Amino acid sequence: MQAVYDASHAVKFSFKQRYAIAAYGSLKDSTGSVIAEKPSQSSWRYANGNRAVVGGGLVQVYEKATNVLFVMPSSKTQYPLALSFTFGQGQLERHFAFTKQDARRMKFPSGYVVSAEPLQPAAPLARAYFYVDGQSYRVRRVLLVDAQGNRNRFDFVKTELGVTVPRDEFYLQVPPGTPIIEP
């Protein structure tokens, strides 16, 4: 799986995201696209106008509906590490212990399912599941489960390897006066 992404300088995905909040039994669905570029940058554009940029040790998330910018160190969120395979530098084996799952039982008979448990138990991520296409070895789904049982699932519906990245893709521009929250 990692070798597929290692061979490309940049990759673009279209995705469907489903976030399940365990405590409330609620679901939040989103769609959008993400561009990832070596060495460790990604740019998330959501159909609802939300934006996220990962790079330089920071995660910046702009929520359009509330006009708020959240800024946090990458180490305080689950996404950069678990999705680092897209950067071609994931070295996931340095951060996770892997276990092959029964793909049929996981309802993914056309490929492989691998669970990944973080080697650092204090990490915000309890477990990740990678659903890998049996033909192309491209990741089709990533399911992230946190310590509270919340589940964040990304289904990658279109993958483009070796894309050209617009010069300003990793620059997050927000409206003047946007409040910045740094947890």
Side-chain angles (χ1 to χ4, degrees), residues 53-120:
V53 174
V54 178
L58 292 176
V59 176
Q60 300 175 75
V61 178
Y62 173 70
E63 289 186 358
K64 184 178 180 181
T66 59
N67 190 39
V68 173
L69 176 65
F70 297 91
V71 178
M72 65 200 88
S74 297
S75 61
K76 300 293 183 194
T77 181
Q78 61 187 335
Y79 306 112
L81 183 58
L83 298 172
S84 65
F85 69 89
T86 62
F87 305 141
Q89 282 193 303
Q91 301 174 351
L92 293 172
E93 70 281 354
R94 294 177 60 197
H95 303 284
F96 295 98
F98 290 95
T99 305
K100 186 176 179 186
Q101 302 294 310
D102 181 342
R104 289 189 195 280
R105 188 178 68 76
M106 301 292 286
K107 299 179 182 171
F108 196 72
S110 64
Y112 307 97
V113 180
V114 179
S115 65
E117 188 172 337
L119 297 175
Q120 296 289 337

Side-chain angles (χ1 to χ4, degrees), residues 1-20:
M1 170 185 90
Q2 186 66 61
V4 169
Y5 299 97
D6 284 348
S8 182
H9 178 71
V11 61
K12 182 176 182 178
F13 299 98
S14 293
F15 66 86
K16 294 179 182 177
Q17 179 181 7
R18 172 164 273 185
Y19 185 60

Side-chain angles (χ1 to χ4, degrees), residues 27-175:
L27 297 173
K28 181 179 178 185
D29 291 322
S30 303
T31 60
S33 63
V34 59
I35 293 179
E37 183 178 54
K38 292 179 183 176
S40 59
Q41 300 182 110
S42 64
S43 171
W44 299 75
R45 294 180 181 272
Y46 285 82
N48 65 3
N50 289 352
R51 229 17 205 100
V53 174
V54 178
L58 292 176
V59 176
Q60 300 175 75
V61 178
Y62 173 70
E63 289 186 358
K64 184 178 180 181
T66 59
N67 190 39
V68 173
L69 176 65
F70 297 91
V71 178
M72 65 200 88
S74 297
S75 61
K76 300 293 183 194
T77 181
Q78 61 187 335
Y79 306 112
L81 183 58
L83 298 172
S84 65
F85 69 89
T86 62
F87 305 141
Q89 282 193 303
Q91 301 174 351
L92 293 172
E93 70 281 354
R94 294 177 60 197
H95 303 284
F96 295 98
F98 290 95
T99 305
K100 186 176 179 186
Q101 302 294 310
D102 181 342
R104 289 189 195 280
R105 188 178 68 76
M106 301 292 286
K107 299 179 182 171
F108 196 72
S110 64
Y112 307 97
V113 180
V114 179
S115 65
E117 188 172 337
L119 297 175
Q120 296 289 337
L125 178 66
R127 184 172 299 273
Y129 294 88
F130 297 94
Y131 293 72
V132 181
D133 184 275
Q135 300 280 323
S136 68
Y137 295 102
R138 291 182 180 179
V139 175
R140 296 295 180 211
R141 174 182 293 159
V142 175
L143 173 62
L144 308 173
V145 182
D146 68 18
Q148 291 77 38
N150 300 316
R151 301 166 71 84
N152 202 351
R153 185 178 92 190
F154 295 89
D155 289 302
F156 300 113
V157 292
K158 184 179 177 186
T159 302
E160 300 173 62
L161 300 172
V163 297
T164 301
V165 179
R167 174 180 266 166
D168 63 347
E169 185 63 30
F170 303 108
Y171 175 73
L172 182 58
Q173 186 172 7
V174 297

